[in-house]
Every structure is written in C-alpha cells, then in structure tokens.
Amino acid sequence: MVQNKQRIEWIDTIKGVGIILVLIGHCNIPNINQYIYLFHMPLFYIISGYCWNVDKNCNLPFKDFFNKKFNSYIIPYLKIAGICFLIFGLGTNIIRLGLDSDYCRLLGKYLFGILLYSRGITEWLPNCSPIWFLTALFFAEVFFYWIMKQKKSVIWVVLSGLMGYICYLIGKVFPWNIDNAFTAIPFIYVGVLLRKNWMKISRGIYVLPLFLCSILIFYMGICGGDYDSNYLKYFYITGIEAILISISIFVLVHRFGGGGNTVLSFLGRNTLFLFGYNYVINTCLLFVIPSISQTWVMAVVVVFVGSFLAYVTNKLKIRKYLI
C-alpha cells in the first residue's frame, strides 16, 4: 500500500475531479449531464470505500462509529441546511411572497425536507439540494459497518444493491435517502476492494482496457442515472460503467496527477463546502448575469467563484461555522 500521506494527496485530487464534475453537472449544460451523471456520484461512493479502514472501523463500538459518522456528515448537513433555510427560506421568500399562508406552507415544506425527507431537489432543500448526498452516505456507511462485520459480507452487499434497485422499480422513497444508501453500498464495497488490490490495479496497463470497456458501453447508448432520486433504468450496466470510469480516474490520477499542491487537490479538500453551497453560488451568479445560464461560461465561473470562496473561508477560518 502507498504511504498514507501520498494516498491522501492523490485521493484529494480525485475528489477535486469529482467536485468539478458536480459543479458542471449542476449548470445544466445541454447534452452533458447524461454522461456526467453516469458516474460522478458513484465516484464519490468509491472514494469513500477506498478511505474506509475496515480494521479500524469494524473494531469500533457501534456507538463510537455512529457518532463519528454523524459528526462527519449529519452535523455539516444540518449547518448547511440551517444557513440556507435562514437566507432563502425565511429571508428572500418573505420578500417574494410576503407573510401569508403560502409563505408559511413553504417554510413547513422546507422544514419537512430538511428534517425528514432530504431529497435532492430545491423544492425540499432551500438552495442546498446537493447535500442529499450527506444523508445517503451517512446511512450507507452505517449499514456498511454492519455488513462488514458479517462472515459473508459480499452477499449482503449484493442484496443491498438489489434492494436499491427494487426501491427504484416500485418507486419507494425512504426518509433521508435510505433507498439511495442501499444503492451506494456496492460502490463503497468496490472502493474497499480497490484499496485491498491497489498494487495490482494501479499498474498503467489496466487503464486502456478500462476505458475501452467504458467507451463500448457509451456506444451502446447507455446514459447516466439520477442517483439523488435513485433513478437507475439500466441498473447493472450503469453500475458497471460507473465502476470502470471511476477506477480509470483513480489509476490516471495516481500515475499522473497525485501531487498535493494543485488546484484539484485544493478543491478536493473543500468538497463539502462546494457541495453545500453550490446552488447558492449558482443562484447569486444567475441573478447578476442571467444570460450565461446553461452555458460553459457559467460552468467556468462557478468553478472559479467556488474555489475563491473556499479559499476565503479557509483564510478567514470561518469554515467550521459553515459546514
């Protein structure tokens, strides 16, 4: 296994690649999302699995593990949702609607969305819908903790994936993205296996076959799913495509872009901030320059502004209050 310091550096770079794809995807550029959405969320699940220390986590008492993940995912989720609720729920909507019944109903819907429903749409999460990922990942890792303690964990991993697909087929939606958590578990397991076999997989000879398989599936006309709503029409093929592309990114970044002092690694260290306030940046930007909506210009500006704000919050040491 590579040294811990080195591992963190190039994993941050992969996170940076992933968050740029998220920011671009949320700009709704025509004919782009169908490809980005194919793998960008599974990439983050696989990263989580790669960083999931099996021995350390499985030896923790459940209470300690639960508290650790709650502090890592749910506390930032509540902070981001609370700030956006104050600004866009209580604040801007009272200007738009006035203090009437519609305003009160909207606030009630936001509170229900934040505290229970947590789906990835602004109808439920006020200008912070990307944070659905935090509740999904929280439950996925809690379930995964139990799975990895079982003797035949791979069976439970497969059953979890099937459960996620069944939820899609029957249209079942669980609170706080538990249905998404089932879908995430196989990807997390892939990350664990990737770390276990990294010395073999990281050889550059594997990159070309992985990309060729990915391109083949593209030519078959398979487009991306919608992981925030657990919409996975081509369940197995979509999953295989996401895994192939993600592993290709891992290998390429490890071989050619693993340095820690890059813009990508900086973005990777600030993914939580960028996830949380991505839609805030988009909304403010389009209010000032509406003409760039759904264009590559918007994507470039969003990445630049997000990077700048992440830098400022780190310099001012206010990050802990925001996430």
Side-chain angles (χ1 to χ4, degrees), residues 31-278:
N31 303 318
I32 292 299
N33 282 10
Q34 61 182 344
Y35 300 111
I36 291 178
Y37 278 39
L38 184 61
F39 68 93
H40 73 321
M41 298 319 300
L43 175 62
F44 279 102
Y45 290 137
I46 292 172
I47 291 170
S48 297
Y50 190 94
C51 296
W52 214 88
N53 190 317
V54 176
D55 292 333
K56 181 179 179 180
N57 286 328
C58 288
N59 286 324
L60 281 176
F62 176 73
K63 181 180 178 181
D64 292 344
F65 179 83
F66 184 92
N67 289 336
K68 174 184 174 183
K69 296 304 174 181
F70 190 90
N71 290 328
S72 296
Y73 300 132
I74 303 303
I75 294 300
Y77 168 85
L78 293 174
K79 283 184 180 180
I80 295 166
I83 291 170
C84 289
F85 176 78
L86 290 174
I87 297 173
F88 297 100
L90 291 174
T92 59
N93 279 318
I94 198 170
I95 299 172
R96 184 171 63 89
L97 298 173
L99 191 59
D100 59 8
S101 58
D102 289 337
Y103 176 71
C104 294
R105 277 195 295 270
L106 184 61
L107 294 187
K109 197 169 187 178
Y110 283 154
L111 289 173
F112 175 78
I114 292 169
L115 299 176
L116 184 63
Y117 195 46
S118 187
R119 306 310 291 191
I121 48 178
T122 53
E123 182 182 1
W124 298 102
L125 295 174
N127 247 23
C128 57
S129 55
I131 62 174
W132 70 268
F133 177 73
L134 297 178
T135 53
L137 189 56
F138 169 73
F139 279 106
E141 292 208 28
V142 169
F143 297 156
F144 195 69
Y145 169 89
W146 180 85
I147 287 172
M148 294 305 291
K149 282 178 167 289
Q150 310 308 306
K151 290 184 178 179
K152 296 183 178 180
S153 56
V154 66
I155 295 176
W156 291 102
V157 169
V158 172
L159 290 176
S160 297
L162 289 174
M163 183 62 183
Y165 186 53
I166 290 169
C167 289
Y168 153 68
L169 291 176
I170 65 177
K172 185 65 176 176
V173 175
F174 290 93
W176 273 30
N177 296 288
I178 292 176
D179 47 332
N180 284 324
F182 289 129
T183 302
I185 286 171
F187 293 116
I188 295 175
Y189 189 68
V190 168
V192 170
L193 295 179
L194 184 62
R195 177 170 180 167
K196 185 177 180 180
N197 299 282
W198 182 245
M199 294 304 293
K200 295 179 180 178
I201 297 174
S202 62
R203 295 172 59 192
I205 192 174
Y206 290 102
V207 176
L208 183 59
L210 288 170
F211 268 125
L212 289 177
C213 290
S214 301
I215 292 170
L216 177 63
I217 296 176
F218 269 126
Y219 274 112
M220 292 171 62
I222 306 303
C223 296
D226 190 0
Y227 284 89
D228 63 345
S229 60
N230 203 36
Y231 178 80
L232 304 169
K233 185 176 180 181
Y234 305 100
F235 180 66
Y236 295 107
I237 298 179
T238 301
I240 292 170
E241 173 71 283
I243 291 168
L244 290 174
I245 296 176
S246 297
I247 294 177
S248 299
I249 292 172
F250 265 76
V251 175
L252 287 170
V253 169
H254 179 259
R255 289 183 65 84
F256 303 112
N261 297 315
T262 65
V263 173
L264 286 176
S265 62
F266 171 78
L267 293 176
R269 293 190 296 272
N270 289 275
T271 51
L272 193 53
F273 173 84
L274 295 168
F275 261 120
Y277 296 101
N278 177 195

